[in-house]
Amino acid sequence: MTSLFDPTTIGDIAVQNRVAMAPLTRNRSPQAVPNDLNVVYYEQRASAGLIITEGTPVTQQGQGYADVPGLYLPQAIEGWKKVTEAVHQRGGKIVAQIWHVGRVSHTSLQPNGDAPVAPSALPANGKTYVVNPDGSGAFVETSAPRALELSEIPGIVEDFRKGARAAIAAGFDGVEIHGANGYLIDQFLKRGANQRSDAYGGSIENRARLLLEIVDAVAAEIGGGRTGLRLSPVTPANNIVEEEPQPLFDYVAGELGKRHLAFIHVIEGATGGPRDFKQGNEAFDYHAMKSAYRAAGGTGAWMVNNGYDAESAKAAVESGYADVVAFGRTFIANPDLVERLETGAPLNKPEVETFYGGGAKGYTDYPSLEAVPA
Ligand code: 8OZ
C-alpha cells in the first residue's frame, strides 16, 4: 500500500514524500523582493516533499497585498535564487505559485495608482492589506476594478508565461498557477465575477478559456511536467460566487486531463474553513472531478488540501484517492511537519496574529523537535 511518506514523482519532479507545503501568504518581503529571513523560513521547511511558495505575482498589476514577493523584478529573481538554493541544499523541492489577483487589489498597489483589472467591472467587496507611507499597515476596501479589454487578454497570458520563465531562472523546480480563491483566473471561471459577452464569458468553455490559455502558455514555456495548477471549486474566498460549480470543474478537469501536467491541486470546501462548504444546492463531488481528469488521460499527481490531519492525510493516500496532501497552517507552526506526522509527535499550534506581516516572530521561530539524546 502506498504511504504518505513514500517518495514519488510529481510530473518531472522527484520528491521524498507526498506531503506538500501549501502556498501561504506571509507579507514579509518588502519591495516585492525575497530576503534572507524568507530564505531561513523556506529552508526550515525543506523536508516537505514539495514546497509551494506563497502567491507570487507575475506583474505589479497582479499585486493585491503589501509586502508580497513577486517574480517581475530582477532583484526578486536574485532573492528567490537564494531560497531555491537553500531548499535544494537540504534535499527539498520547491515550486513558485504564480499569481494575478485581478480585482482583489487596491489602487495604491497598482502601477500609476490605476484601477485593478477584472473580467467585469464588479467590485470584490472585500478587504486587502496595504502599508501606509509612514510604514504602518492598514486593512482597506478593495478598489473598484475595470474590465479587461479583449485586446489585453493575450498580455495577461504572456505575463504568466514570463513569470514561469522567471521562476525557472530563479532555480525553482516548476510552478503552480494560482487558479483558486477568487483571484483573476477564478474570477474568469465563475459567473459571480464574470459577465463578459465575448469569447471569455458566458458558456463554461468561454469562462475556462483564460485558464487553459495560461496553462498551455506556461506548459509550452517550461514543460508540462513542471507545471501545476491550484483550483478551488466551491470556495467563497474573496466573495467569489458560482452556483453551478460541478459542470464547470468537471469540464475544466477534462480539459486538463488532455494536457501533460505535473499536478492538480484542489482545495476541498471553503479555503481554511469547512470542508463540506457548498455553492449552489448540491454537495460538490471531488471524486467525480478527479474521475473526469483521469478519464481524459490526465496523469499528473492529484493533490488535495484543506483541513487534513495525520489520519485523514494518510487515509487519502492509502486509499488511492490522493497522490499528495498539502498542509497550510500546520506547516506555518511545524517546520519539521513531515517528521511529526510520521512519528506522531505533538504539533505546535499556529498563531493567527503573526500570519501576515512582521518579522521572525511567528515566522522562523517555531521550534523543531529536539534531537533525541543518544
Ligand atoms: C491569505 C491572505 C492573503 C492572500 C490565497 C493568496 O487565499 C492568498 C491569500 C491568503 O490564495
Side-chain angles (χ1 to χ4, degrees):
M1 192 167 47
T2 304
S3 143
L4 184 61
F5 308 105
D6 287 345
T8 188
T9 52
I10 299 178
D12 294 346
I13 309 166
V15 298
Q16 52 194 341
N17 58 64
R18 292 142 190 266
V19 178
M21 176 175 164
L24 294 155
T25 292
R26 305 303 309 273
N27 309 78
R28 281 167 168 90
S29 305
Q31 276 81 52
V33 176
N35 53 51
D36 292 347
L37 189 62
N38 307 146
V39 174
V40 174
Y41 166 74
Y42 283 111
E43 182 177 27
Q44 286 175 341
R45 288 157 181 78
S47 58
L50 184 68
I51 295 174
I52 304 161
T53 69
E54 61 207 279
T56 302
V58 292
T59 54
Q60 191 189 341
Q61 186 194 66
Q63 282 277 13
Y65 303 87
D67 296 344
V68 158
L71 260 172
Y72 51 90
L73 298 171
Q75 312 90 281
I77 296 175
E78 292 310 308
W80 280 123
K81 272 186 192 164
K82 294 189 191 163
V83 171
T84 60
E85 276 164 20
V87 169
H88 289 153
Q89 197 71 41
R90 293 213 24 213
K93 297 290 163 73
I94 181 167
V95 297
Q97 193 196 47
I98 55 175
W99 189 26
H100 191 309
V101 297
R103 68 182 185 174
V104 186
S105 188
H106 187 262
T107 51
S108 67
L109 296 161
Q110 291 290 310
N112 315 310
D114 288 345
V117 300
S120 301
L122 299 166
N125 290 324
K127 291 256 193 292
T128 184
Y129 186 78
V130 299
V131 175
N132 296 313
D134 68 1
S136 62
F139 282 97
V140 292
E141 285 285 324
T142 51
S143 305
R146 70 172 178 86
L148 282 163
E149 301 289 340
L150 185 59
S151 60
E152 291 177 283
I153 291 185
I156 299 282
V157 176
E158 180 65 5
D159 290 338
F160 274 92
R161 187 190 64 74
K162 283 193 195 142
R165 169 55 42 207
I168 297 301
F172 285 103
D173 296 290
V175 301
E176 174 180 273
I177 298 165
H178 194 343
N181 293 346
Y183 298 108
L184 185 68
I185 293 173
D186 208 22
Q187 290 158 29
F188 269 84
L189 286 171
K190 294 177 179 169
R191 280 174 292 188
N194 184 345
Q195 294 182 351
R196 298 179 75 93
S197 53
D198 59 15
Y200 293 85
S203 66
I204 284 176
E205 290 80 356
N206 282 355
R207 284 182 279 130
R209 193 175 308 283
L210 177 66
L211 164 67
L212 296 172
E213 287 181 356
I214 291 170
V215 166
D216 287 341
V218 168
E221 184 67 27
I222 66 168
R226 301 198 174 277
T227 303
L229 169 66
R230 194 175 208 213
L231 296 169
S232 53
V234 302
T235 196
N238 294 303
N239 301 315
I240 197 74
V241 173
E242 171 57 50
E243 295 290 329
E244 292 181 289
Q246 194 79 50
L248 171 62
F249 283 88
D250 289 352
Y251 168 79
V252 165
E255 285 301 307
L256 296 171
K258 297 178 192 168
R259 288 139 168 106
H260 170 65
L261 298 176
F263 65 93
I264 311 296
H265 181 181
V266 181
I267 301 170
E268 299 164 333
T271 312
R275 290 180 45 78
D276 59 358
F277 190 88
K278 62 181 181 184
Q279 295 219 21
N281 296 324
E282 279 159 40
F284 192 86
D285 184 344
Y286 296 95
H287 286 83
M289 181 183 171
K290 184 190 169 194
S291 298
Y293 177 67
R294 293 281 183 245
T299 55
W302 196 257
M303 186 186 297
V304 297
N305 170 242
N306 205 22
Y308 280 85
D309 60 14
E311 201 182 333
S312 56
K314 286 179 197 166
V317 169
E318 288 168 11
S319 70
Y321 167 56
D323 301 305
V324 181
V325 181
F327 291 82
R329 288 166 182 230
T330 333
F331 245 121
I332 289 180
N334 297 278
D336 53 353
L337 179 63
V338 177
E339 184 183 348
R340 290 175 192 251
L341 294 176
E342 198 163 7
T343 61
L347 299 176
N348 303 318
K349 287 215 168 30
E351 278 177 25
V352 182
E353 311 79 63
T354 49
F355 278 0
Y356 309 114
K361 188 175 175 325
Y363 188 55
T364 52
D365 63 353
Y366 285 105
S368 289
L369 294 167
E370 301 295 327
V372 183

